[in-house]
Amino acid sequence: MNRKIKLTVQLIYLCVILVTPNRLLAADGKLIGTAGLMQVEGSGGGGIVPWATISGYDSRDQISVSAVATQVDVDDYRLNMLGASLSLYDRLELSIAHQRFDLKTLGGDIKQNIFGVKYRVFGDVVFSDLPQLSVGLQHKRLEDKAIATALGADSSSNGTDFYIAATKVHLGAIGGFNAVWNLTARATRANEMGLLGFGGPENDDYEIMLEASAGILFSRHLAVGAEYRQKPDNLGLGEDDWVDYFVSYIPSKDLNITLAWAKLGTIAGAADQSGLYLSINGQLR
């Protein structure tokens, strides 16, 4: 991990521990499982889609800190992500993530840092009639833009995605089990989340991409579901939409473990990229 990013993550933990009373770190305010996960860009949500949920279990008078380690291992590539988020009063989420994209067959890697902000506009994922609605952004910075530029991306190594997300949990909706769904609209210029830069010869403007998640909570500790993420094809390399099928085990509010089968399609000309997604998410309570 880039030294500056690693130091920033450590400072988030240190500052919260030093300045926050213990009662604010209790983070007991939500039902287990309703805080969601931390997705591959560091925002609270599913595996590949940001949700309207704020990443911690904090209520409106609490603060929580989360950390995540994720690996997505497909045929020709491997993505490793480390991230952390600070959740403030079930209203504001600040996140930071470092991605390393290993080129298994070619050798070398691509690194990217992502800084996220999310704000809950209204609603509660469980207790309000309407879905919880949040707006957010993810600012992305490539550490090395050489590969992206060679493929035809914009000469800039920075880009920002903007999104709006709606999430709802329906208690006892399917055979007595709780159900959850999410819809996200993302304005983006990013190629493969930004790992291959931003914009390109086929399109250099922002486009609206749709993303969705749906799942069933078979108990307080087990959830299964699927996700879909629409992708732009700015470089003309046949960039495909993403799909995953996930199982999440949530033994407590301190920990969740998610295993998924990810179908990522064509990446940088390499077709049929599929493989395992594993994510471990912990909470400081």
Side-chain angles (χ1 to χ4, degrees):
M1 178 185 281
N2 179 282
R3 185 175 179 182
K4 291 182 180 179
I5 301 299
K6 187 174 182 180
L7 179 59
T8 302
V9 172
Q10 292 172 339
L11 285 174
I12 289 174
Y13 281 101
L14 181 60
C15 290
V16 172
I17 291 170
L18 289 178
V19 306
T20 308
N22 289 337
R23 66 178 182 85
L24 293 184
L25 278 174
D28 296 322
K30 300 176 186 175
L31 299 176
I32 189 170
T34 59
L37 313 174
M38 290 176 67
Q39 51 99 220
V40 288
E41 293 147 302
S43 300
I48 59 175
V49 177
W51 293 5
T53 51
I54 303 299
S55 59
Y57 279 101
D58 46 295
S59 67
R60 298 183 184 185
D61 61 352
Q62 296 175 327
I63 290 173
S64 66
V65 176
S66 304
V68 64
T70 297
Q71 183 177 96
V72 187
D73 195 356
V74 296
D75 300 312
D76 296 304
Y77 308 103
R78 181 184 299 111
L79 175 68
N80 291 286
M81 187 276 280
L82 295 175
S85 69
L86 176 63
S87 180
L88 301 164
Y89 313 117
D90 193 30
R91 178 65 67 176
L92 181 67
E93 173 189 299
L94 306 175
S95 63
I96 185 171
H98 176 78
Q99 295 178 331
R100 189 182 79 241
F101 189 60
D102 295 326
L103 312 175
K104 294 196 295 186
T105 56
L106 300 175
D109 59 34
I110 302 170
K111 295 177 182 178
Q112 178 173 238
N113 302 313
I114 304 174
F115 304 88
V117 178
K118 184 194 298 182
Y119 180 78
R120 181 174 62 83
V121 178
F122 66 78
D124 182 274
V125 70
V126 175
F127 298 111
S128 63
D129 292 332
L130 294 174
Q132 182 167 314
L133 186 73
S134 296
V135 294
L137 65 82
Q138 296 170 339
H139 179 66
K140 303 174 177 182
R141 298 181 182 178
L142 275 173
E143 290 190 13
D144 185 347
K145 63 181 181 180
I147 293 177
T149 302
L151 291 173
D154 189 290
S155 59
S156 172
S157 59
N158 300 336
T160 304
D161 290 357
F162 304 90
Y163 65 88
I164 181 168
T167 309
K168 188 76 177 92
V169 172
H170 299 275
L171 300 178
I174 301 178
F177 299 112
N178 300 338
V180 59
W181 60 265
N182 175 84
L183 291 175
T184 298
R186 179 193 298 260
T188 183
R189 297 175 61 246
N191 310 314
E192 302 296 358
M193 296 190 298
L195 291 163
L196 299 184
F198 307 90
E202 298 298 315
N203 179 67
D204 202 37
D205 297 323
Y206 275 93
E207 292 185 273
I208 303 298
M209 299 287 113
L210 299 180
E211 306 173 11
S213 307
I216 301 175
L217 288 76
F218 285 105
S219 75
R220 296 175 63 205
H221 306 289
L222 181 67
V224 300
E227 296 187 294
Y228 167 80
R229 177 166 173 168
Q230 192 178 26
K231 308 283 291 310
D233 187 25
N234 301 323
L235 298 175
L237 298 175
E239 181 172 340
D240 283 326
D241 299 346
W242 286 356
V243 175
D244 74 47
Y245 306 96
F246 67 86
V247 177
S248 292
Y249 174 56
I250 314 162
S252 72
K253 290 184 178 181
D254 301 313
L255 178 69
N256 62 57
I257 302 169
T258 298
L259 184 67
W261 182 254
K263 300 181 67 175
L264 308 186
T266 297
I267 299 177
D272 300 322
Q273 298 299 305
S274 299
L276 288 176
Y277 168 111
L278 176 64
S279 183
I280 300 174
N281 185 187
Q283 302 256 355
L284 176 63
R285 303 201 307 133

